[in-house]
Amino acid sequence: MRPNQLVPISIADLEHNAYSTLALNALDYYRSGANDMQTLKDNQEAFSRLRLRPRILRDVSKVSTETTLLGHTVSSPICIAPTAMQRLANDEGEKATARAAAKAKKCMILSSWSTTSAEDTIEAGKAVPVDTTSTGLPLYWFQLYVYKDRAVTEQLIRRVETAGYKALVITVDTPFLGRRLADVRNVFKLPGHMTMANFETKDSKVTMATILDKKNEGERAAREAAGHTSGVKIVRQESSLAAYVVSQIDPTLNWDDIAWVRSITKLPVVVKGVLTAEDAKLAADIGVEGILVSNHGGRQLDGVLATIDALPEVLDAVKGRNVEVYMDGGVRKGTDVLKALALGAKAVFLGRPILWGLAHNGEEGVTLALDLIQKELELAMALAGCCKLSDITRDHVQHGTFPRSRL
Ligand SMILES: Cc1cc2nc3c(=O)[nH]c(=O)nc-3n(C[C@H](O)[C@H](O)[C@H](O)COP(=O)(O)O)c2cc1C
Ligand SMILES: CC(C)CC(=O)C(=O)O
């Protein structure tokens, strides 16, 4: 361990350590939110505006967090959100995360923009022997960005169906990339030896580096055509990711496309990026199996509600409908998980905490991150008088610090 690093006993410690482990390019990409990062900050702060209402004298000697997600039993409602390019944190990247998910029997969503292919990632998870002393199995879902080229999208769906992913999570909050200022300043790009592994063909390796090089070539040609000499400082810098999103991702995406995806696959569909009652109703009307309340970790539209604050209106809007509701954003502690479950979320997903674990030491670090927050949840449940997830109710949480009787 480096001199200023901590022996990690919380997600906050893992984050602290990652700041001195990761290269600036990767650290900034992982930690940033869009623009002023108001929503990024609020995602965590909103949890601390909620207060817990524990019950006592309930025999909490045994606590179970087992649950089901779209019909599959997993050990816990704590899951892994899709984060792109995990090999920036550790060379084993997505494989390390998949193995840690397998050991913990938790659900992992793989990003479309992983630096390990969908097949190699799930194979790494499947190679981990299953712990038969408890029920449940690891579960892998695939996050889908819908490409302009629908043939590319469909081909990817077929691949992940064959590989064994059990749901498609369509991200709907990224018609364009949010403006993350640090990435713009760093002119973020993926190192040349890493690829967007799901989009590699024999003839062309899609790397951020090649995309950026092409773009800079274009800019140089434009400057020269305008009478400037080459070597002039680039005035309009851009992150290569933003350019990649513009070139590949379909900003015309709409509800008909969600219906189209549903029509070409038997896999259940989860819509990721819902923040309002209006859209939750539309998602339920179209028949999706899951809604992930998410603001993309504060990386897209800055100034939107913290997800824990948006969760209640989404839940109210689809009450009684056949759709599971999950949330992500700012979940860092067991008590955060308990608050989200008390409000009614079926599960929570962790984004950056997994990356901090990966940066700490690959698979072991992800296992540690998952274990720390899992143990915190179990303790919080016991201290709140809950032995199983169905014991957790909306009465276990309230807004603000006034006793409920005086609100
Ligand atoms: C570095 C990074 C990369 C991400 N990549 C993706 C992605 O490829 N697809 C996606 O749907 N969401 C992506 N997200 C958003 C996460 O899935 C998730 O919504 C968010 O990280 C949750 O917030 P948290 O980081 O506070 O836990 C990314 C987030 C981060 C921090
Ligand atoms: C490649 C990016 C669009 C992945 C992403 O969703 C993110 O960086 O937030």
Side-chain angles (χ1 to χ4, degrees):
M1 268 191 352
R2 291 164 206 236
N4 62 344
Q5 296 215 326
L6 304 166
V7 175
I9 55 168
S10 67
I11 298 293
D13 291 349
L14 285 170
E15 175 168 3
H16 168 94
N17 288 355
Y19 281 35
S20 50
T21 308
L22 291 171
L24 189 67
N25 191 41
L27 174 65
D28 276 348
Y29 170 61
Y30 287 167
R31 70 177 158 180
S32 289
N35 303 90
D36 293 342
M37 303 200 268
Q38 186 184 35
T39 296
L40 173 71
K41 212 162 137 236
D42 206 30
N43 272 350
Q44 273 180 254
E45 285 180 357
F47 277 108
S48 58
R49 294 195 288 266
L50 294 173
R51 290 291 186 274
L52 290 164
R53 300 182 69 252
R55 300 300 305 275
I56 53 168
L57 298 172
R58 300 209 149 203
D59 183 358
V60 289
S61 51
K62 285 200 187 75
V63 170
S64 163
T65 63
E66 192 175 283
T67 191
T68 59
L69 296 175
L70 299 175
H72 295 269
T73 304
V74 286
S75 70
S76 167
I78 299 171
C79 312
I80 300 175
T83 52
M85 300 181 248
Q86 296 188 356
R87 289 188 59 215
L88 287 172
N90 176 279
D91 202 41
E92 285 291 290
E94 292 82 1
K95 284 191 201 168
T97 306
R99 290 186 193 114
K103 274 194 189 142
K105 296 185 171 185
K106 287 187 163 64
C107 173
M108 166 184 180
I109 309 179
L110 180 72
S111 167
S112 273
W113 292 357
S114 52
T115 37
T116 311
S117 72
E119 291 84 356
D120 289 351
T121 301
I122 202 167
E123 285 313 316
K126 283 183 184 166
V128 174
V130 175
D131 167 16
T132 49
T133 60
S134 61
T135 54
L137 287 170
L139 181 61
Y140 298 94
W141 291 354
F142 188 80
Q143 177 267 325
L144 188 71
Y145 276 123
V146 178
Y147 273 60
K148 287 179 182 168
D149 184 341
R150 291 295 192 274
V152 170
T153 311
E154 188 166 352
Q155 204 185 17
L156 191 56
I157 293 173
R158 299 289 165 248
R159 281 176 55 196
V160 302
E161 286 170 341
T162 308
Y165 291 82
K166 298 296 183 210
L168 293 177
V169 180
I170 309 179
T171 299
V172 293
D173 58 13
T174 312
F176 299 98
L177 200 71
R179 194 158 164 80
R180 302 139 190 195
L181 302 183
D183 291 343
V184 177
R185 283 195 194 98
N186 295 339
V187 196
F188 175 85
K189 63 176 174 173
L190 196 62
H193 65 287
M194 291 182 203
T195 61
M196 307 281 258
N198 293 320
F199 304 98
E200 237 178 274
T201 62
K202 274 195 204 99
D203 313 320
S204 75
K205 283 195 164 190
V206 181
T207 68
M208 286 294 165
T210 53
I211 291 158
L212 189 82
D213 286 349
K214 276 192 202 129
K215 192 173 143 16
N216 282 350
E217 237 169 62
E219 284 183 359
R220 198 166 40 246
R223 277 195 311 273
E224 280 172 7
H228 300 287
T229 53
S230 59
V232 176
K233 198 167 173 258
I234 298 177
V235 180
R236 219 184 118 262
Q237 281 186 326
E238 205 183 308
S239 136
S240 66
L241 274 184
Y244 185 68
V245 171
V246 166
S247 69
Q248 302 294 327
I249 299 304
D250 192 350
T252 72
L253 196 72
N254 62 68
W255 290 106
D256 291 343
D257 298 300
I258 306 298
W260 170 73
V261 173
R262 291 196 73 238
S263 75
I264 63 161
T265 182
K266 288 201 171 60
L267 290 178
V269 165
V270 177
V271 175
K272 175 176 184 279
V274 173
L275 286 173
T276 61
E278 298 89 312
D279 283 334
K281 278 192 189 128
L282 289 172
D285 287 347
I286 238 174
V288 300
E289 283 77 7
I291 291 175
L292 177 41
V293 178
S294 173
N295 54 33
H296 213 112
R299 294 159 73 80
Q300 287 298 107
L301 180 61
D302 194 27
V304 299
L305 279 186
T307 41
I308 194 67
D309 288 337
L311 179 65
E313 73 169 73
V314 170
L315 283 160
D316 290 346
V318 298
K319 204 172 181 172
R321 310 288 298 268
N322 193 18
V323 57
E324 294 188 352
V325 177
Y326 325 111
M327 66 85 60
D328 73 21
V331 179
R332 300 292 179 269
K333 294 175 289 188
T335 48
D336 298 339
V337 183
L338 182 59
K339 288 171 182 175
L341 299 178
L343 287 176
K346 178 91 172 136
V348 302
F349 288 80
L350 308 176
R352 294 178 184 85
I354 301 303
L355 299 171
W356 308 143
L358 264 182
H360 184 63
N361 55 352
E363 177 190 334
E364 268 179 53
V366 179
T367 297
L368 178 64
L370 290 173
D371 196 48
L372 286 170
I373 196 160
Q374 174 69 25
K375 292 280 167 12
E376 286 180 358
L377 171 62
E378 289 170 13
L379 178 60
M381 281 175 64
L383 297 181
C386 303
C387 299
K388 52 190 186 312
L389 299 184
S390 57
D391 294 339
I392 304 172
T393 69
R394 214 143 166 167
D395 285 336
H396 283 100
V397 73
Q398 69 167 58
H399 275 277
T401 52
F402 272 104
R404 211 160 65 155
S405 54
R406 287 171 49 206
L407 280 174

